Amino acid sequence: MAVYTQLSAEALAELIAHYDVGELVSAKGIAEGVSNSNWLIETYKEGGSSRFILTMYERRIDLADLPFFLGLLDHLSTSSAPVPRTIHDKEGAAWRNLDGKSVALIEFLPGISVDRPTPAQARNVGAVLAQMHAAAMDFPVRRANDLGADVSASVLAQCGSDALAKINPALPAAIDEAQRVAECWPHGLPRSIIHSDLFPDNVLMLGDEVSGLIDFYFACHDAMAYDLAVTHAAWSFADHGQDYRADIGQALIAGYESVRPLQPEEHAAMPVLAQGAAMRFISSRAQDWIETPADALVLKKDPMDFMRRFEFYRDGGSGIFT
Amino acid sequence: MAVYTQLSAEALAELIAHYDVGELVSAKGIAEGVSNSNWLIETYKEGGSSRFILTMYERRIDLADLPFFLGLLDHLSTSSAPVPRTIHDKEGAAWRNLDGKSVALIEFLPGISVDRPTPAQARNVGAVLAQMHAAAMDFPVRRANDLGADVSASVLAQCGSDALAKINPALPAAIDEAQRVAECWPHGLPRSIIHSDLFPDNVLMLGDEVSGLIDFYFACHDAMAYDLAVTHAAWSFADHGQDYRADIGQALIAGYESVRPLQPEEHAAMPVLAQGAAMRFISSRAQDWIETPADALVLKKDPMDFMRRFEFYRDGGSGIFT
């Protein structure tokens, strides 16, 4: 949540002039995106105003992946899934360079991100996720998942028991658990491009309807059911993972299956996929926690929020996927 | 530049429901304001959308001053000066409480803040500043200037030579200079409500025109010519105060005088007012610098940027106010 780079109005106006979007009339740096700087831009052209998100890629993003990320938005924006399109410049380029960094102009979509979803909202999120999977099936560019179950296991092993125990005494157990999850990871499940980070803050809603899926910077080619498991882990718990909201979890899966019913092998794999989803966030949060200086003015996310989810999934809480 | 507080979409929607502005359709935390959290809010009502800035008062603002600040916006928004109005809630209140903090909803104005103004822009800024002074003359609420020349002098004395010298060897001289400026400070100049912080980032522009004056949280009852001096110091220099842009300084004053000609005693006072304006920012920046931990992830503003301006004004550079 930051704007890492200051851009002058003159530099912004000069950039916007390369696009066929009219004149710049407003630009506000917005506190969104963990690894990019973002501005909410308004332009005026021929009697109407338009809004865009200008993203500057700061770190964590491999620039070689930009054709994948920005092309994916273009591909999905023509489908029934509400995904913002990439605005191309007058020469047709999907991104430009500014101050030595890559920037892209992306369609602005209205909507707000809910903190505590209702079942109706969760159902629609599930349905839109399935629409997105279906629409992405024929996207020709591939990007491997570099945060799979084996990576979670090795990240946690590298953190080490001592460092994990300093965060919370319950965390070192994640090392062996992640190894076990990686060893029994299902392969051969149906794939498409998956979002793989569909937390509530990456979904824009207007009332019960999904008005936008955003922030595809973890998107990759992997099992669709794994994406549903990530979304389940991200949406179905309250109170830092202590409270499983069964109505939300059920609505999410029912919504998904209303568009794309899970195949039997996907259904059977859900418990381990959900454990792997929890491990993916335990491992990255633990790593961030350990690598972030104690006095840094950033919000550290507690890996325990997902360790509780992991334990819930491992222990088959209420047979949630049966 | 920060959003200090996280607000859930549900809390925002509940807040917005207290205003007659329609339904919340978008909310983005924006990286503006040094002591408040701000969100750019969009609502939808009867076929049209509206935008607002939601401000949460975090610190540095004395809540007893809110009637002054928010009433001033209302007062000025009915004048020719482009100032955003305060949106009152359904009960007529100018601010509400949320999570134990005060929040206000303020009209959104388009426009961008220039980094390197043109003379035409500076002229219009000067004219709008004079319009604002004229319009504020009959605003009935008073707020004293708590950052006057005497305060600058005492803040710098409290910083002390040693701490100032650590920032820059040229800074300790500011202690005696600030004392001298305070001793020869002119009193009895014509007063109104002044902005007293009209840096380029507090002015929104569309081309050469001023579309908005914003961030009145240093506004107070003081000499109008002092406000012109602050604005002169804030706008007329490039390259960290090393380069005086005579065309900008002249255009700013000419624009001001096109609306409200300076009286002879104001004109005569400009050199010392400008030195006092520079001291006001030297002192606050030096204090912030000393009080900010060395490893804090905030941008420290170098007091030398204004020490150079001070020296330029003291030495009567090119007889700028003659």
Side-chain angles (χ1 to χ4, degrees), chain B residues 6-187:
Chain B
Q6 297 293 322
L7 277 184
S8 72
E10 291 82 351
L12 277 172
E14 203 270 334
L15 174 76
I16 294 300
H18 288 284
Y19 295 83
D20 187 24
V21 295
E23 277 195 52
L24 183 68
V25 294
S26 182
K28 304 281 185 198
I30 57 175
E32 282 185 17
V34 290
S35 47
N36 305 319
S37 292
N38 289 283
W39 290 262
L40 177 52
I41 298 283
E42 185 180 1
T43 64
Y44 186 85
K45 184 187 176 189
E46 293 158 14
S49 66
S50 306
R51 272 174 291 165
F52 307 96
I53 302 293
L54 177 71
T55 297
M56 176 174 271
Y57 300 97
E58 300 278 356
R59 60 190 179 102
R60 284 199 178 180
I61 301 256
D62 183 346
L63 295 184
D65 285 332
L66 278 184
F68 172 81
F69 294 134
L70 297 171
L72 179 63
L73 297 188
D74 278 342
H75 184 85
L76 293 175
S77 69
T78 64
S79 77
S80 59
V83 172
R85 69 193 169 97
T86 305
I87 311 299
H88 293 244
D89 72 8
K90 289 172 183 170
E91 285 80 46
W95 68 94
R96 297 186 59 86
N97 285 309
L98 185 64
D99 286 354
K101 290 176 183 167
S102 293
V103 294
L105 198 62
I106 293 167
E107 181 185 13
F108 168 86
L109 295 177
I112 55 177
S113 297
V114 299
D115 252 38
R116 193 176 170 85
T118 64
Q121 290 172 327
R123 187 182 168 87
N124 287 331
V125 169
V128 165
L129 181 65
Q131 287 167 4
M132 193 274 279
H133 288 165
M137 205 82 79
D138 59 349
F139 182 61
V141 192
R142 290 278 177 274
R143 178 176 178 268
N145 188 356
D146 52 13
L147 295 170
D150 49 343
V151 174
S152 297
S154 74
V155 164
L156 285 165
Q158 278 166 22
C159 287
S161 280
D162 292 353
L164 292 174
K166 276 187 205 157
I167 305 173
N168 190 293
L171 267 184
I175 297 176
D176 287 347
E177 295 280 22
Q179 187 60 39
R180 180 185 58 74
V181 169
E183 282 165 12
C184 65
W185 195 248
H187 297 281

Side-chain angles (χ1 to χ4, degrees), chain A residues 1 3 6-10 13 23-32 40 42 49 51 53 108-117 121 204-207 214 295-299, chain B residues 1 3 6-10 13 23-32 40 42 49 51 53 108-117 121 204-207 214 295-299:
Chain A
M1 302 253 311
V3 177
Q6 298 292 323
L7 277 184
S8 72
E10 291 82 350
E23 276 196 52
L24 183 66
V25 294
S26 181
K28 304 281 185 196
I30 58 176
E32 281 184 18
L40 177 51
E42 184 181 3
S49 66
R51 273 175 290 165
I53 302 292
F108 168 87
L109 295 177
I112 56 178
S113 297
V114 300
D115 252 39
R116 193 175 169 86
Q121 290 172 327
L204 299 171
M205 308 206 75
L206 290 171
I214 59 173
D295 52 359
L297 288 174
V298 295
L299 187 68
Chain B
M1 300 252 316
V3 176
Q6 297 293 322
L7 277 184
S8 72
E10 291 82 351
E23 277 195 52
L24 183 68
V25 294
S26 182
K28 304 281 185 198
I30 57 175
E32 282 185 17
L40 177 52
E42 185 180 1
S49 66
R51 272 174 291 165
I53 302 293
F108 168 86
L109 295 177
I112 55 177
S113 297
V114 299
D115 252 38
R116 193 176 170 85
Q121 290 172 327
L204 300 171
M205 308 206 76
L206 290 172
I214 59 173
D295 52 358
L297 288 174
V298 294
L299 187 68

